[in-house]
Amino acid sequence: AATFVSPPHPWGALVTACIALFLIAVNTTAINTAVSAIADELTLSSTTLAWALNAYLLAVAAFVVLGGQLGDVLGRKRIFVVGMVLYTLAAIVVATSGTAFQLIGGRALQGMGAAILMPATMAILHDAFPKEKQGLVLGIWGAVGGVAFAVGPLIGGVFTDAISWRWVWWSNVPVAILALLLARPMLRGLAPGKKGVRFDVAGIGL
């Protein structure tokens, strides 16, 4: 097993992880109030629109175990940064969508980014805090996720009505940049990873 080293600012690590979790959770539900506007602008059928919703969830479900394993092998900080960059680039793909293919592809890529980020945020807290404080910090982590899931449709509706549905995803960019800027100092000191983890390639494919 790897030797874990706590970062110099564990509460800063909590804030960084919670920002990423908030972003993921909001995007999971914000699309629900933007679907009508998306369908009208891109002229999507109900079947295509369903794929725009479910491509994200399918990618998360398929890759979340791999995301956790990558964090074990490559280190929490590194995989956090990789996941956040992928998530942000995918958000830009969705925000600039002109076709159903681009929209669905962008959502699937975002799901992959979320699958990398989600286990990393929890693992960061596991590494950053001693055992006696993990109940508290994981409770905070869970509360942030719950609030974000709840306000996601509201945020999606506000952006869709006030500006454009595209801003549901353009708004991801500054939040992601903030998380990336915080990651460098706040996640410094986490273990670089460990060897010997076996990837279940067949299981991931299935």
Side-chain angles (χ1 to χ4, degrees), residues 6-7 10-14 124-131 133-134 137:
S6 178
W11 292 102
L14 172 63
I124 285 167
L125 302 184
H126 179 272
D127 294 354
F129 288 89
K131 187 174 181 179
K133 289 187 178 179
Q134 286 181 13
V137 297

Side-chain angles (χ1 to χ4, degrees), residues 72-140:
D72 291 340
V73 174
L74 301 177
R76 317 299 190 199
K77 178 181 176 180
R78 183 179 299 173
I79 205 64
F80 179 92
V81 171
V82 169
M84 186 59 72
V85 169
L86 176 59
Y87 198 86
T88 308
L89 292 176
I92 294 172
V93 171
V94 175
T96 58
S97 292
T99 64
F101 179 81
Q102 183 178 348
L103 176 69
I104 294 169
R107 289 287 291 169
L109 286 174
Q110 258 202 318
M112 293 175 64
I116 293 173
L117 279 172
M118 182 72 77
T121 59
M122 182 179 286
I124 285 167
L125 302 184
H126 179 272
D127 294 354
F129 288 89
K131 187 174 181 179
E132 61 270 17
K133 289 187 178 179
Q134 286 181 13
L136 171 63
V137 297
L138 289 175
I140 295 171

Side-chain angles (χ1 to χ4, degrees), residues 23-205:
L23 187 61
I24 294 168
V26 163
N27 270 266
T28 302
T29 56
I31 191 174
N32 294 333
T33 46
V35 288
S36 295
I38 295 171
D40 290 344
E41 184 172 331
L42 300 183
T43 317
L44 303 181
S45 67
S46 58
T47 301
T48 304
L49 193 59
W51 274 109
L53 290 166
N54 292 325
Y56 179 92
L57 299 175
L58 284 169
V60 171
F63 291 101
V64 69
V65 174
L66 174 63
Q69 290 182 318
L70 287 173
D72 291 340
V73 174
L74 301 177
R76 317 299 190 199
K77 178 181 176 180
R78 183 179 299 173
I79 205 64
F80 179 92
V81 171
V82 169
M84 186 59 72
V85 169
L86 176 59
Y87 198 86
T88 308
L89 292 176
I92 294 172
V93 171
V94 175
T96 58
S97 292
T99 64
F101 179 81
Q102 183 178 348
L103 176 69
I104 294 169
R107 289 287 291 169
L109 286 174
Q110 258 202 318
M112 293 175 64
I116 293 173
L117 279 172
M118 182 72 77
T121 59
M122 182 179 286
I124 285 167
L125 302 184
H126 179 272
D127 294 354
F129 288 89
K131 187 174 181 179
E132 61 270 17
K133 289 187 178 179
Q134 286 181 13
L136 171 63
V137 297
L138 289 175
I140 295 171
W141 178 90
V144 169
V147 170
F149 278 118
V151 302
L154 174 63
I155 292 173
V158 168
F159 277 122
T160 300
D161 287 348
I163 313 175
S164 165
W165 63 266
R166 298 179 186 274
W167 278 91
V168 176
W169 286 274
W170 280 123
S171 63
N172 292 185
V173 177
V175 179
I177 290 173
L178 174 62
L180 288 169
L181 290 174
L182 288 173
R184 182 170 184 178
M186 297 304 175
L187 304 184
R188 179 167 49 89
L190 291 175
K194 60 184 179 182
K195 298 179 180 180
V197 177
R198 182 175 176 273
F199 293 101
D200 180 13
V201 178
I204 294 165

